[in-house]
Amino acid sequence: MRHFYRRGFRFTWVVLLSTFLVACAGTPASDGFDTPTVELLSIKPLPSRGMEARFEITLRVVNPNSGALKIEGLYYELAVQGKDIVDGTSNQTVTIDAYSEGLIILEARAGMFGAFGLLRELMKNPPDSGFSYELKTKISLSGYPIPIRIKKVGVFGRGLTTGK
């Protein structure tokens, strides 16, 4: 009886390990895939709705791979001067051709409390050389079960359009 349980345990381990290896074989990192670059290109204010400030955020996605990227959706978070300002999702399908780049335009909403907190911080300690930002994106690609996470850190005022 003990032999039976040991054999069942080994069989379960073999099945789990095989499943894991097959799943990993389909991830971008395992097939010579290079992680795309995501850059914050512009932020433009839109008319607000109620207590929400709205912005149009444009991202540039650079595909360094020999195959097209079919983006099925993404989640993003934007922090300015260390303060979380906006986050959101998009389910628009965008295809970035091989060795190419494309733009993704998102409508972002920021609660007024987060915007007021940033404004108060900037009034107390105005930056001398632009505003620092951190952009985090999680991109879901067609054909890959695991999303790609990309983080970009930069400074407003150095090639970034803040809109007027």
Side-chain angles (χ1 to χ4, degrees), residues 68-124:
L69 292 178
K70 185 175 180 185
I71 299 171
E72 292 184 334
L74 63 89
Y75 172 76
Y76 60 93
E77 297 175 349
L78 178 63
V80 177
Q81 294 294 105
K83 305 273 187 216
D84 294 332
I85 298 299
V86 296
D87 63 357
T89 60
S90 173
N91 64 357
Q92 63 179 302
T93 301
V94 177
T95 301
I96 311 293
D97 291 330
Y99 300 113
S100 186
E101 61 184 49
L103 301 179
I104 298 177
I105 299 173
L106 307 165
E107 185 176 313
R109 291 169 183 78
M112 293 304 269
F113 295 113
F116 284 139
L118 175 63
L119 184 58
R120 184 179 48 223
E121 178 69 27
L122 294 176
M123 289 172 60
K124 280 192 211 172

Side-chain angles (χ1 to χ4, degrees), residues 13-150:
W13 261 118
V14 169
V15 169
L16 287 174
L17 185 59
S18 298
T19 303
F20 178 74
L21 291 175
V22 168
C24 288
T27 61
S30 66
D31 60 3
F33 180 87
D34 290 320
T35 302
T37 303
V38 178
E39 299 174 352
L40 180 61
L41 197 59
S42 70
I43 300 175
K44 296 178 184 173
L46 297 173
S48 63
R49 288 189 188 146
M51 294 294 286
E52 275 187 335
R54 295 181 21 214
F55 302 93
E56 178 184 277
I57 296 178
T58 304
L59 304 178
R60 176 186 296 137
V61 180
V62 179
N63 179 8
N65 296 288
S66 60
L69 292 178
K70 185 175 180 185
I71 299 171
E72 292 184 334
L74 63 89
Y75 172 76
Y76 60 93
E77 297 175 349
L78 178 63
V80 177
Q81 294 294 105
K83 305 273 187 216
D84 294 332
I85 298 299
V86 296
D87 63 357
T89 60
S90 173
N91 64 357
Q92 63 179 302
T93 301
V94 177
T95 301
I96 311 293
D97 291 330
Y99 300 113
S100 186
E101 61 184 49
L103 301 179
I104 298 177
I105 299 173
L106 307 165
E107 185 176 313
R109 291 169 183 78
M112 293 304 269
F113 295 113
F116 284 139
L118 175 63
L119 184 58
R120 184 179 48 223
E121 178 69 27
L122 294 176
M123 289 172 60
K124 280 192 211 172
N125 302 315
D128 294 330
S129 59
F131 306 101
S132 64
Y133 71 88
E134 178 179 83
L135 174 68
K136 296 178 186 176
T137 54
K138 180 174 86 170
I139 301 174
S140 295
L141 297 176
S142 176
Y144 294 105
I146 301 172
I148 301 168
R149 297 176 189 274
I150 303 168

